Amino acid sequence: ITAVGGGGSTVKVNNDSTYISDGGAVTDHNLVQGLVKGWMNLDGSGTAAILDSFNVSGFTDNGTGDYTHTHTNAMNNALYSVSISSKRATSTNNSGSQHQDGTFTTAAFRMLFVEFDNDPSHDVDMVFTMVAGDLA
């Protein structure tokens, strides 16, 4: 993208910007709302650590399979959407089940993981999160 007039100007996009779909058939006017507002790739094995992230200021390890994801920039309200997944790499169980515990604030959300056999005695090896919604 090059700003009109060139010269390395910053291009700003707001909620009423128009864009055309990949196939060219659909035109929409809310590019900003459709963007992912944050994501995290967390190594949950051993001493948990963020491997990579966007708009994540950190996390709290609340105990086995229990993490709180904290946003760098707050969400507008606690009605945002979260997608989480995990990977547990063992010879007997390759993944974990997960759920949010209902604790959503504009600054953070909490998530819990257990193995499919409902054994909460192991951390999952990897945690992946994505957040969509309105930033404050």
Side-chain angles (χ1 to χ4, degrees), residues 84-88 94-98 113 124 126-128:
I84 62 174
S85 61
S86 64
K87 180 184 92 166
R88 169 104 172 108
N94 293 323
S95 190
S97 64
Q98 62 274 335
F113 297 85
V124 291
M126 302 295 295
V127 174
F128 313 100

Side-chain angles (χ1 to χ4, degrees), residues 15-63:
N15 281 343
D16 61 358
S17 299
T18 301
Y19 66 93
I20 300 170
S21 69
D22 295 345
V26 177
T27 300
D28 202 337
H29 300 281
N30 201 338
L31 175 63
V32 174
Q33 193 168 32
L35 298 174
V36 171
K37 301 307 189 310
W39 57 267
M40 177 177 69
N41 182 323
L42 174 76
D43 181 347
S45 62
T47 302
I50 295 175
L51 299 178
D52 202 359
S53 67
F54 170 71
N55 196 30
V56 176
S57 63
F59 74 98
T60 302
D61 188 343
N62 302 304

Side-chain angles (χ1 to χ4, degrees), residues 6 11 18 28 34 54 56 71 75 77 80 82 85 93 102-103 108 110 126 128 133:
V11 176
T18 301
D28 202 337
F54 170 71
V56 176
H71 314 302
M75 302 302 287
N77 55 49
Y80 53 91
V82 172
S85 61
N93 191 352
T103 305
R110 192 167 177 176
M126 302 295 295
F128 313 100

Side-chain angles (χ1 to χ4, degrees), residues 23 29 45 60 67 77 81 109 116-117 125:
H29 300 281
S45 62
T60 302
Y67 304 97
N77 55 49
S81 178
F109 65 90
F116 285 125
D117 62 3
D125 293 328

Side-chain angles (χ1 to χ4, degrees), residues 37 55 73-77 106 133-136:
K37 301 307 189 310
N55 196 30
N73 298 295
M75 302 302 287
N76 188 48
N77 55 49
T106 58
D134 298 326
L135 289 172

